[in-house]
Amino acid sequence: MTTTPPNPDLTPDQALARLPELTVVDVRTPAEYTAGHVPGAHNIPLDSLDRALPALRAAHGGLLLVCASGARAERARSVLAGHGIPAATLTGGTSGWAGHGHELHRPRGGSRATWAMERQVRFTAGAAVLVGLGLGPLHPAWLLLSAGVAGGLVFSALTDTCGMAAVLSRLPHNRPRPADLDATLARLGSARG
């Protein structure tokens, strides 16, 4: 483990230059990770972070946390900091990484590409609003569905949290299989330097 904590944020170019000395942890869902991730990244979804604390504490080099845009990585950094584990985040997440022209790794033979969590949330919210509006003429109570989604989106923006993403992350295609997480933790343990 490194003796000096890494910078709290690394730009994609800084991260690329330091990639060999970093342990990269992608905290997105397995489906998002499979759709494209920073080369060499280990997938430990945000909701599985507590289980991975011992492996992350003993990881080689500095920890770099990555998600789609940076919000989940920042939450992961807070969790790790609460356990005395320093970590950096990738500015702009995988979107920023790809935007700087850096390659995203996509495993061959993986399952079909799954939408990023943000896209899943937009689709679900939009579909719920349309259902509420479409069924509203049949019974006005259906309009409450649209109002509830709108209120949830405003709350999400104000608090930088997303309850819908938390629910969607529990769907089977967004959950790691236990064997996958165990294999990731074993790889982290064997990469100690």
Side-chain angles (χ1 to χ4, degrees):
M1 187 138 146
T2 185
T3 56
T4 59
N7 294 328
D9 297 301
L10 294 177
T11 66
D13 293 333
Q14 291 170 329
L16 180 64
R18 294 188 52 199
L19 209 51
E21 68 188 59
L22 295 170
T23 297
V24 182
V25 176
D26 192 320
V27 298
R28 297 176 300 156
T29 66
E32 292 174 289
Y33 173 82
T34 301
H37 56 271
V38 172
H42 301 277
N43 185 219
I44 302 175
L46 183 60
D47 61 355
S48 299
L49 210 54
D50 286 339
R51 182 170 166 214
L53 288 173
L56 294 173
R57 184 173 278 113
H60 171 69
L63 286 176
L64 178 64
L65 302 171
V66 180
C67 67
S69 64
R72 285 179 278 178
E74 188 57 45
R75 285 196 297 275
R77 180 172 43 193
S78 293
V79 169
L80 294 179
H83 291 278
I85 303 170
T89 60
L90 179 64
T91 304
T94 54
S95 299
W97 179 268
H100 276 77
H102 304 313
E103 174 189 1
L104 288 175
H105 178 73
R106 291 178 177 89
R108 285 188 232 187
S111 61
R112 62 182 170 80
T114 303
W115 290 353
M117 184 56 66
E118 181 183 344
R119 188 174 181 193
Q120 291 180 49
V121 167
R122 289 191 320 252
F123 176 81
T124 304
V129 167
L130 287 175
V131 166
L133 292 174
L135 295 176
L138 299 176
H139 194 285
W142 280 104
L143 294 174
L144 292 176
L145 176 63
S146 297
V149 171
L153 291 172
V154 170
F155 180 79
S156 175
L158 292 173
T159 61
D160 197 25
T161 62
C162 187
M164 189 176 289
V167 171
L168 291 173
S169 71
R170 299 190 187 288
L171 292 175
H173 69 277
N174 284 325
R175 303 282 310 151
R177 295 181 314 192
D180 293 342
L181 185 57
D182 290 341
T184 298
L185 296 177
R187 278 193 307 278
L188 271 174
S190 67
R192 294 179 189 154

